[in-house]
Amino acid sequence: MADASIAPAAIAGMFDLLSPSPPGWGGNLLRGLLNSLQIAFGAFGMGLLIGTVGAYGKLYGGPVVRDIAAIYTTIVRAVPELVLILLLYYAGTDLINRILEGIGYQRVDISGLVAGIVVLGFVQGAYATEVLRGAIKAIPQGEIEAARAYGMSPTLMMRRITLPAMLPHALPGLANLWLISTKDTALLAVVGFSELTLVTRQAAGTTKAYFLFFIAAGALYLLITLFSNVILAKVEKWARRGMPSVKEAR
Amino acid sequence: MVETPLETPIETFPIHKDSYTSGQTRKFPPHRIVLILIGLALIASAVFFMRWNWLPDYGDLILHGLWRTLWILVVTVILGFLLAVPLGLAQAAGPAILAVPARIFCTIIRGTPLLLQLWLLYYGLGSLFPQYPWIRSSELWPYLRQAWPYAVLALTLSYAGYEGEVMRGAFAGVPKGQLESARAFGMRRFTIFRRIWLPQAIHRALPTLAGEAVLQLKSTPLVATITVVDLYSVASRVRQDTFITYEPLLLLAAGYLVITGIIVFLFRRLEKLIPSKLG
């Protein structure tokens, strides 16, 4: 880039390419970003649900439940996300359609959004299971025993004691998972879902301005990460209120 | 992760028993045997009822892909680690002029998806290089026209970014007294680094390094998107050629499971080589 290829006119041209109105691709990029964020939120939420169930299953479940949870987390964490996405994406939609045809309904097109959320949520669930299991084990167990001694039902105990008490221990891991979730949405580009990375590639391929668009998309992802970090630090501070700070505890 | 002191649980209820305590005594309780049998039955039905007749035709390609995947994994992990050591050191103990760029590098790598970095390097640099005649005429050009240098570069940088952060923590975690006593022995700064600081930091980072190596293995299929023929791309090839979708993907998943197992096993052996005392 040492030669005079970046003249003021070229810079103006760059901003034209990124402008949100139709001749520019900025609007498309932002729509892709919105899709990515939707999937990231959905997958993270679903991962939390699966993770809570999985963690409870691993800690308090019977021997069969424990083994099944262990198989789930081991396999999902050992196989590349890309392979899982392809397997679940094809197999999942195929299976649902076969079942629907079996009962006598028509085939349905499962939207990329739903499929993406389910597939990534399934992957996130395995990691969330491990994070939450560790966090529940880090609660002073006397608190749980006290709750039991008060005669709390399991759901009440979960709502009042276990979940709030484990939150500070779980948050660093969950924050990591959220960041992974935002970045894993890029993998859905491979199955053709038009999230930020795929839209970027289309824009770059059409205009031949590869560096411009990939760097712009990278900046968007980075913004999400940095913004999330600020929010997550606030949430962690709130969850750890009343506890000794990490530095003092050392 | 925040290390919180675990209160020792009072063993009045069996709720504290994790799989470790109960599973260690009897490894094959009846339910587990049933689960293993179900698993074997699933595998057997997969072998007998699914189509595997494509397998012999693609045997060579699979081996080729496996070799390429392992090769990329090993090379990028080693190169990435070599890059991560200075990155971690700069952040842990370097002057601001080194620490700030290292931190920015790690943040950018960790803040953007690997797929995007890969495509940026491959399509971006790949479209930039041919514009310069001196690059086209250089001896490196035959390599730069291929896809794998970009794959290796992107995966190396990615591993270095993640690992640099780990090494920062590991370097910072080595007790100060160790370094001070090394200095009191009259060691030179490089000797301190080579004999005391680096070995202890690597020891601290080893469990994380194992995890990162598995993550790196799981990132390797991304290189298939820039036309590098690895294990994963063989599965897509089979799908395109024969319209068989599930069998290659299942085989692929099993293959990655095995490689992950091997990595974890190797790192465990490595960890056992270093004597350690549990505090």
Side-chain angles (χ1 to χ4, degrees):
Chain A
M1 275 182 265
D3 60 347
S5 64
I6 302 181
I11 291 175
M14 274 185 189
F15 285 110
D16 282 348
L17 280 176
L18 283 178
S19 83
S21 49
W25 288 78
N28 287 27
L29 287 196
L30 289 180
R31 268 193 296 281
L33 178 69
L34 207 63
N35 278 337
S36 287
L37 280 177
Q38 271 178 325
I39 288 198
F41 268 115
F44 184 67
M46 198 179 141
L48 275 186
L49 275 182
I50 297 179
T52 313
V53 174
Y56 266 82
K58 268 198 162 183
L59 287 173
Y60 304 123
V64 181
V65 173
R66 273 185 204 176
D67 278 1
I68 289 175
I71 292 170
Y72 163 62
T73 53
T74 310
I75 290 186
V76 169
R77 293 189 307 157
V79 175
E81 282 85 354
L82 199 56
V83 178
L84 282 176
I85 285 172
L86 279 184
L87 257 178
L88 296 173
Y89 201 84
Y90 290 126
T93 48
D94 197 46
L95 202 68
I96 288 174
N97 274 328
R98 274 193 199 170
I99 290 173
L100 281 179
E101 276 183 344
I103 326 173
Y105 286 96
Q106 288 201 318
R107 295 178 73 89
V108 285
D109 267 341
I110 292 159
S111 78
L113 190 71
V114 174
I117 287 176
V118 170
V119 171
L120 283 185
F122 185 78
V123 177
Q124 286 263 313
Y127 289 91
T129 299
E130 294 296 328
V131 169
L132 294 179
R133 187 183 70 103
I136 292 177
K137 281 187 76 180
I139 305 173
Q141 294 297 316
E143 292 184 13
I144 289 176
E145 274 166 13
R148 237 177 258 266
Y150 269 104
M152 284 191 192
S153 69
T155 42
L156 188 67
M157 190 174 81
M158 179 170 150
R159 189 162 59 82
R160 281 212 190 138
I161 312 291
T162 315
L163 291 187
M166 70 153 204
L167 198 60
H169 306 298
L171 266 176
L174 291 183
N176 228 344
L177 274 184
W178 160 249
L179 295 180
I180 292 176
S181 162
T182 58
K183 285 182 289 173
D184 269 359
T185 55
L187 297 179
L188 291 173
V190 178
V191 287
F193 180 71
S194 63
E195 46 68 63
L196 182 52
T197 306
L198 188 66
V199 171
T200 307
R201 189 179 160 184
Q202 287 162 350
T206 314
T207 57
K208 302 290 172 214
Y210 290 102
F211 267 114
L212 175 70
F213 281 111
F214 281 126
I215 287 175
L220 286 178
Y221 279 114
L222 203 59
L223 273 180
I224 299 177
T225 303
L226 296 177
F227 183 68
S228 308
N229 276 341
V230 174
I231 301 284
L232 288 168
K234 287 227 165 86
V235 174
E236 196 176 337
K237 203 174 165 192
W238 168 80
R240 289 186 63 88
R241 69 201 182 282
M243 296 175 76
S245 82
V246 184
K247 275 177 193 156
E248 281 170 44
R250 260 190 157 181
Chain B
M1 277 291 270
V2 188
E3 289 240 58
T4 40
L6 273 172
E7 205 171 282
T8 39
I10 315 155
E11 285 290 333
T12 36
F13 292 99
I15 50 162
H16 309 302
K17 288 219 173 102
D18 201 11
S19 54
Y20 294 109
T21 49
S22 56
Q24 214 77 38
T25 46
R26 268 208 308 166
K27 218 165 184 182
F28 291 105
H31 77 275
R32 199 161 283 175
I33 294 174
V34 173
L35 278 180
I36 290 172
L37 286 180
I38 293 175
L40 287 178
L42 278 178
I43 292 173
S45 62
V47 168
F48 286 118
F49 296 117
M50 292 177 117
R51 283 182 297 168
W52 298 101
N53 51 1
W54 50 272
L55 209 49
D57 298 339
Y58 289 92
D60 284 348
L61 201 61
I62 290 174
L63 283 183
H64 181 77
L66 181 66
W67 165 243
R68 181 62 70 80
T69 291
L70 291 177
W71 178 85
I72 288 182
L73 173 69
V74 171
V75 167
T76 56
V77 164
I78 291 173
L79 287 181
F81 182 72
L82 290 181
L83 211 58
V85 170
L87 277 173
L89 198 61
Q91 288 185 75
I97 198 162
L98 293 175
V100 171
R103 170 150 300 174
I104 290 175
F105 173 80
C106 286
T107 308
I108 288 178
I109 293 289
R110 283 153 36 98
T112 53
L114 176 57
L115 189 64
L116 193 80
Q117 298 163 14
L118 194 66
W119 285 358
L120 170 70
L121 288 177
Y122 181 65
Y123 294 111
L125 287 182
S127 70
L128 193 70
F129 282 155
Q131 294 172 8
Y132 296 96
W134 62 271
I135 292 181
R136 292 180 70 112
S137 57
S138 76
E139 288 174 19
L140 281 175
W141 180 240
Y143 296 103
L144 291 177
R145 282 174 59 192
Q146 292 169 356
W148 65 263
Y150 301 98
V152 169
L153 180 64
L155 284 174
T156 301
L157 291 182
S158 160
Y159 191 77
Y162 283 92
E163 210 51 59
E165 203 70 15
V166 174
M167 289 312 287
R168 177 185 65 87
F171 277 124
V174 174
K176 287 278 169 293
Q178 298 272 348
L179 304 178
E180 278 163 11
S181 55
R183 203 171 308 145
F185 268 105
M187 285 187 193
R188 283 180 303 130
R189 279 164 80 184
F190 184 72
T191 318
I192 294 176
F193 176 72
R194 186 169 56 85
R195 286 211 190 139
I196 312 289
W197 211 2
L198 185 63
Q200 293 202 26
I202 290 180
H203 186 200
R204 270 158 196 279
L206 256 184
T208 327
L209 281 175
E212 293 286 336
V214 173
L215 287 181
Q216 184 77 352
L217 168 73
K218 288 167 50 177
S219 314
T220 52
L222 290 181
V223 303
T225 59
I226 60 167
T227 72
V228 176
V229 182
D230 74 328
L231 193 56
Y232 169 82
S233 73
V234 178
S236 349
R237 176 82 70 82
V238 174
R239 191 172 70 241
Q240 281 165 13
D241 290 354
T242 61
F243 299 108
I244 299 173
T245 309
Y246 304 124
E247 288 85 348
L249 282 175
L250 283 176
L251 192 69
L252 192 64
Y256 280 111
L257 262 175
V258 171
I259 303 177
T260 303
I262 293 173
I263 293 176
V264 170
F265 172 76
L266 286 180
F267 268 95
R268 228 170 250 167
R269 287 285 296 276
L270 205 63
E271 261 174 76
K272 275 194 185 150
L273 285 181
I274 306 166
S276 66
K277 199 175 73 182
L278 207 65

